[in-house]
């Protein structure tokens, strides 16, 4: 299959550029230990395992004590989906009991205020309502500690300043800055609670890809006005995020270079790498107790439910995701064209280029279980992968 | 006159010289279609009704054309054959017809009744009241009321530029008559025949599409006046095997609902009572509100304003007063009591400000105030956007009170949750409008808030099967797991306490 110039520039071309990246830049990328544990259930076992992992990381009190902590959970897709009979928490979302347990542990570690946030697709109402509609009981979260709030970061944040601009260090890959809910600006620590799973467009979706949902669909969603944010979301993130068929409203920074490939496999990794640099999580928790193999959402013929029984936690999102990739049977150093990045760029490399962290396993200390002891090869499960096809091949 | 059409299964029976004359006036009248109309005028055509539940032929009778007389003269053998098969024959009389002559001819021919458009008055024969949505004779004593102006139920792929995901809800846009039928059934005493034809001349309609048309009416409490498209009728007239096979499926759907006619008497379990006179400009808003609420699975109960004073608001969490003019003082007092006891009222600005400000945590067009134990949500401006009113009502009410959740069924709608008067049971009916199983094909789980001892799944053409249930893992209520083999286009879950 041939590759045109645009695909070369967007894919292997940038991979080639990465090869000439100064070795010292990579070598200087920050690293942090990653805790790895086995966990087979969502009950007390999770609470104990998470607490032990946090201890292995040196305790989370040093990170969250006296702080406003924001937990970005993963509630991707619509609110009324299941994988067969499986609730989404046991398939491709954060599980509500893990969120409740983490809230409890953050409170125990001294967090001053805890917010659970998500930009739930096109949901135009409070996050509680999304949860009720999806079959969650938000009181499980709200009651897990005092001072817990739920915020739908798709909506204009209450108060005079609904959005705050977050600049991407080193000018970013795709956008120089992003306008996000002011809830993120009020946060001292961002916790990315992700699911261990693959992604049709980005290869894998872990703690960094989880950040894609922080972009408000009132600004980065389909059909938003040309000049200013929409009052409520009108659509998903395809136009501005995946396809680049238009720019955000003029009130927000446009792309640096609108001539770059209009291809999701080029764009999404760059957007999420940008976001990880603009608002870097201070704590990552990746849950793979039960999850799906094959994709990020239920896709007939591809997706199957799997039970790896794995947990990861870390304090550097690139390093945490690198270990997670290794656990999944992938090489975090893989470049475009190699699994799981068959049709996209490696987000971890792009984040590494922005100085977020290292993906070099030789520089990452893994504590708790060893990777080889818990490894779960995702590509051994599920049907043929349905990758995001490069732009221009649809005829 | 003693004609009982309470559970009749009617079918439009276009045939004969009058139908041919009518069609000849329109553009494009293929010889094949003409032949089918000729064949359907012969007694032998009734053979296709063998082993079907259809027991009422609504026969083209008068249209104010010269061919009327010929129709009456040539109809005798067909009418006689129908009578021998215990079929009630109803003559379809259009506006332009000479009603006196048509009635006299019908009586002479031995028709059981006539359906006369816009008829008011008395006649020697039973008259099925036939009208459009705008001029329904609500209080007619007719043996049945036929209402036209309906849509062909299904996913509307033309709304919004050829994209099925065109609705303001980001859900596929569905055409359904269910909301209207629920509204009409709340007022009518007579059986409701829902009149609509397959749209277009070139489209090919599958048996599933016809079954959906039947289910859409039945679930809401009406009965489709079955009407076949020209191509299908022609194929049936020619005895084509695939058409006969499809016909069996359509008949099975009609039989299923005839056999479960008691379900229509069940009372709606709604969370929101929609109060309106459903007339004129008010109907533009309140009707569309019902449509959009049905699409969002926001269970509602229709409350005609003229009946509101006599109806208890028991079981409702919210009232939506949709009309532009304020209610009379008695109704206003009753609504205010509902709010003070803990209910939510959503209304336009004519209601006025009362209570203390209690703004919600999301942008809305309503000023929300607390009053007693409840809340008032009063529009800052006149209610005009039914979509936004439906959305706001749902969020002001909150999904925490949902009675039902249906997963993986983006093309479902017209969901009804009903209970019989004696209690002891509940019934959830759901239609998936995606032809060929797409859209509704993934439906495997239904969540119900209430607890029931057992549940049976009914589907067309199948024996009922027990359905496994498990307590919801993450919330209150019960998950009902549908077998993978169960049809998805229409299903009914019957619960027993």
């Amino acid at each position: 299959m041939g590759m045109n110039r645009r695909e070369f520039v967007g894919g292997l071309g940038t991979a080639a550029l990465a090869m000439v990246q100064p070795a010292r830049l990579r070598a200087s990328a920050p690293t942090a230990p990653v805790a790895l544990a086995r966990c087979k259930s969502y009950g007390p076992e999770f609470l104990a395992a998470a607490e032990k992992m946090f201890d292995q990381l040196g305790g989370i009190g040093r990170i969250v004590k006296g702080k406003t902590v924001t937990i970005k959970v993963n509630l991707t897709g619509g609110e009324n989906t299941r994988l067969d009979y499986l609730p989404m928490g046991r398939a491709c979302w954060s599980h509500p009991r893990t969120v409740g347990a983490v809230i409890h542990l953050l409170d125990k570690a001294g967090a001053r205020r805890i917010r659970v946030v998500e930009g739930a697709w096109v949901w135009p109402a409070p996050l509680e309502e999304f949860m009720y509609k999806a079959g969650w009981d938000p009181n499980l979260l709200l009651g897990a500690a005092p001072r817990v709030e739920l915020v739908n970061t798709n909506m204009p944040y209450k108060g005079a300043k609904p959005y705050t601009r977050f600049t991407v260090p080193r000018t970013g890959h795709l956008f120089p800055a992003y306008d996000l809910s002011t809830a993120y600006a009020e946060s001292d620590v961002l916790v990315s609670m992700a699911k261990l799973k693959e992604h049709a467009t980005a290869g894998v979706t872990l703690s960094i890809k989880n950040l894609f949902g922080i972009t408000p669909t009132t600004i980065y969603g389909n059909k938003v006005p040309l000049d200013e944010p929409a009052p409520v979301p009108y659509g998903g993130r395809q136009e501005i995020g995946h396809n680049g068929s238009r720019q955000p409203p003029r009130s927000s920074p446009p792309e640096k270079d609108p001539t770059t490939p209009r291809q999701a496999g080029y764009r999404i990794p760059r957007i999420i790498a940008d976001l990880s640099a603009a608002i870097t999580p201070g704590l990552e928790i990746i849950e793979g107790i039960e999850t799906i193999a094959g994709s990020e959402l239920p896709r007939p013929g591809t997706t199957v439910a799997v039970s790896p029984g794995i947990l990861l936690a870390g304090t550097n999102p690139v390093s945490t995701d690198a270990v997670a990739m290794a656990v999944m049977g992938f090489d975090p150093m893989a470049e475009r064209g190699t699994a799981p990045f068959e049709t996209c760029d490696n987000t971890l490399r792009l984040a590494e280029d922005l100085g977020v962290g290292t993906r070099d396993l030789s520089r990452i200390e893994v504590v708790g279980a060893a990777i080889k002891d818990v490894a779960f090869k995702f590509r051994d499960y599920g049907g043929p992968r349905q990758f995001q096809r490069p732009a221009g091949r649809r005829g | 006159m003693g004609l009982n059409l309470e559970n009749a299964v009617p079918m439009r029976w276009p045939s004969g010289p009058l139908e041919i004359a009518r069609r000849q006036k329109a553009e494009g009248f293929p010889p094949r279609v003409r032949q089918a109309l000729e064949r359907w005028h012969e007694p032998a055509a009734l053979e296709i009704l063998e082993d079907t539940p259809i027991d009422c032929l609504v026969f083209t009778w008068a249209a104010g054309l010269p061919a009327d007389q010929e129709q009456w003269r040539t109809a005798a053998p067909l009418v006689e054959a129908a009578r021998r098969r215990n079929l009630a024959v109803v003559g379809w009389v259009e506006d332009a017809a000479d009603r006196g002559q048509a009635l006299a001819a019908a009586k002479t021919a031995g028709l059981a009744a006539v359906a006369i458009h816009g008829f008011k008055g008395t006649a020697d024969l039973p008259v099925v009241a036939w009208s459009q949505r705008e001029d329904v004779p609500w209080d007619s004593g007719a043996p049945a009321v036929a209402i036209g102006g309906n849509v062909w139920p299904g996913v509307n792929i033309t709304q919004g530029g050829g994209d099925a995901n065109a609705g303001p809800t980001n859900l596929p846009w569905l055409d359904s008559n269910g909301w209207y039928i629920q509204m009409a059934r709340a007022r009518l005493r007579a059986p409701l025949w829902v009149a609509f034809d397959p749209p277009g001349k070139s489209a090919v309609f599958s048996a599933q599409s016809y079954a959906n048309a039947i289910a859409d009416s039945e679930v809401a409490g009406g009965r489709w006046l079955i009407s076949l498209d020209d191509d299908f009728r022609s194929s049936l007239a020619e005895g084509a095997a695939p058409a006969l096979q499809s016909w069996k499926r359509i008949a099975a759907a009609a039989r299923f609902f005839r056999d479960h006619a008691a379900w229509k008497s069940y009372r709606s379990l709604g969370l929101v009572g929609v109060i309106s006179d459903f007339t004129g400009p008010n109907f533009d808003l309140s009707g569309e509100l019902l449509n959009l609420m049905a699409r969002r699975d926001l269970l509602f109960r229709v409350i005609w304003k003229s009946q509101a004073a006599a109806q208890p608001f028991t079981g409702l969490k919210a009232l939506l007063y949709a009309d532009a003019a304020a209610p009379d003082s008695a109704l206003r007092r009753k609504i205010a009591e509902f709010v003070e006891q803990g209910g939510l009222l959503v209304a336009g600005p004519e209601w006025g400000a009362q209570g203390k400000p209690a703004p919600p945590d999301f942008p809305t067009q309503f000023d929300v105030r607390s009053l007693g134990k409840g809340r008032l949500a009063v529009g800052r401006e006149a209610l005009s956007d039914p979509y936004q009113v439906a959305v706001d009502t749902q969020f002001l009410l909150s999904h925490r009170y949902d009675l039902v959740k249906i997963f993986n069924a983006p093309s479902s709608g017209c969901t009804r949750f009903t209970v019989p008067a004696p209690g002891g049971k509940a019934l959830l009916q759901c239609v998936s409008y995606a032809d060929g199983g797409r859209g509704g094909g993934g439906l495997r789980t239904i969540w119900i808030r209430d607890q029931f001892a057992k549940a049976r799944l009914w589907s067309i053409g199948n024996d009922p099967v027990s359905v496994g249930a498990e307590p919801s893992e993450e919330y209150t209520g019960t998950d009902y797991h549908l077998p993978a083999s169960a049809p998805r286009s229409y299903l009914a879950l019957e619960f027993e306490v």
Side-chain angles (χ1 to χ4, degrees), chain A residues 35-280:
Chain A
L36 192 52
R38 277 201 179 281
C39 181
K40 295 288 187 189
S41 68
Y42 290 103
E45 184 189 2
F46 173 83
L47 183 68
E51 190 160 30
K52 185 177 177 183
M53 287 197 303
F54 293 162
D55 287 345
Q56 289 168 334
L57 295 175
I60 56 170
R62 65 191 169 89
I63 302 170
V64 304
K65 189 168 185 180
K67 306 279 181 62
T68 292
V69 181
T70 299
I71 306 173
K72 164 64 175 72
V73 294
N74 187 336
L75 303 177
T76 186
E79 72 285 357
N80 53 5
T81 304
R82 290 200 170 180
L83 175 63
D84 211 354
Y85 301 137
L86 275 186
M88 293 291 259
R90 293 178 59 191
C92 54
W93 284 5
S94 304
H95 192 286
R97 276 179 262 162
T98 64
V99 182
V102 167
I103 291 170
H104 169 73
L105 292 174
L106 291 170
D107 176 63
K108 194 174 165 185
R112 184 173 62 83
R113 177 169 63 171
I114 299 166
R115 282 179 170 159
V116 177
V117 301
E118 174 62 300
W121 198 38
V122 292
W123 194 251
L127 192 55
E128 288 97 318
E129 284 298 304
F130 184 91
M131 291 176 174
Y132 277 123
K133 177 73 174 166
W136 282 31
D137 183 356
N139 294 313
L140 179 70
L141 280 52
L142 294 167
R147 301 175 306 282
V148 178
E149 299 169 14
L150 307 179
V151 182
N152 176 3
T153 55
N154 268 344
M155 299 293 289
Y157 190 65
K158 59 191 175 189
K161 191 178 182 189
Y163 305 101
T164 298
R165 186 152 302 169
F166 287 76
T167 303
V168 184
R170 302 183 193 185
T171 73
H173 289 292
L174 211 67
F175 288 91
Y178 293 80
D179 287 348
L180 307 177
S181 167
T182 294
Y184 290 107
E186 292 180 354
S187 170
D188 300 311
V189 182
L190 177 63
V191 178
S192 178
M193 277 196 79
K195 201 82 169 178
L196 188 76
K197 56 183 181 170
E198 296 167 86
H199 196 279
T201 306
V204 288
T205 171
L206 303 165
S207 75
I208 297 177
K209 174 63 182 68
N210 187 33
L211 301 180
F212 191 54
I214 74 176
T215 52
T217 42
T218 41
I219 295 176
Y220 299 97
N222 300 347
K223 305 176 194 169
V224 293
L226 293 175
D227 291 320
E228 57 187 16
V232 293
Y234 300 140
R237 299 179 175 90
Q238 289 79 18
E239 292 175 0
I240 298 171
H242 288 250
N243 308 330
S245 57
R246 59 158 291 184
Q247 295 295 311
R250 292 189 187 95
S251 56
S252 295
E255 285 180 52
K256 290 166 61 180
D257 180 1
T259 66
T260 54
R262 308 288 96 179
Q263 180 196 112
Y266 175 90
R267 299 175 60 78
I268 299 300
R270 281 166 175 75
I271 291 172
I272 55 182
D274 283 351
L275 292 167
S276 74
I279 178 168
T280 307

Side-chain angles (χ1 to χ4, degrees), chain B residues 215-416:
Chain B
D216 183 69
S217 292
E218 294 283 346
V219 168
R223 176 145 290 169
W224 181 36
L225 177 47
I226 295 170
S227 175
L228 306 183
D229 68 275
D230 284 347
D231 182 71
F232 186 41
R233 189 183 313 107
S234 299
S235 297
L236 280 178
E238 291 157 4
L244 292 169
Q245 203 59 34
S246 293
W247 177 239
K248 282 185 181 174
R249 287 186 61 192
I250 296 165
R255 183 181 300 109
F256 176 88
F257 289 105
R258 182 204 62 185
D259 293 349
H260 292 92
W263 287 353
K264 287 186 181 175
S265 67
Y266 288 16
R267 175 175 60 84
S268 278
L269 284 177
L271 292 172
V272 181
V274 180
I275 304 175
S276 173
D277 62 13
F278 299 105
T279 304
N282 287 335
F283 174 65
D284 293 342
L285 177 72
S286 56
E288 190 59 13
L289 269 170
L290 298 181
N291 185 18
L292 292 168
M293 289 166 74
R295 182 68 189 95
R296 299 177 68 83
D297 283 339
L298 176 53
L299 302 178
F300 60 81
R301 190 193 305 170
V302 173
I303 302 174
W304 283 78
K305 192 154 67 178
S306 58
Q307 302 170 351
Q311 278 196 23
F313 296 155
T314 315
L316 296 173
K317 295 281 184 193
L319 291 172
L320 173 47
Y321 182 83
D323 287 358
D328 62 35
S329 58
L331 179 55
R332 184 182 172 94
R333 215 167 26 250
K334 185 175 178 181
I335 292 172
E337 283 171 15
F338 171 81
V339 173
E340 284 166 1
Q341 288 164 15
L344 165 71
L345 170 67
V346 179
E350 70 285 348
W351 186 272
Q354 280 178 278
K356 300 172 185 169
D361 199 15
F362 61 96
T364 167
Q365 62 188 307
F366 295 95
D367 280 326
V368 183
R369 292 168 173 268
S370 62
L371 182 66
K373 295 178 185 171
R375 288 174 300 155
L376 287 171
V378 176
R380 294 185 196 98
E381 296 176 4
L383 307 186
S384 59
D385 179 347
Y387 170 72
Q388 205 53 53
V389 174
V391 168
D392 284 351
T393 300
Q394 188 162 47
F395 290 132
L396 286 166
L397 172 64
S398 175
H399 282 290
R400 78 188 64 199
Y401 299 116
D402 284 353
L403 300 176
V404 175
K405 299 180 196 297
I406 296 172
F407 292 95
N408 293 33
S411 297
S412 76
C414 196
T415 299
R416 285 202 81 201

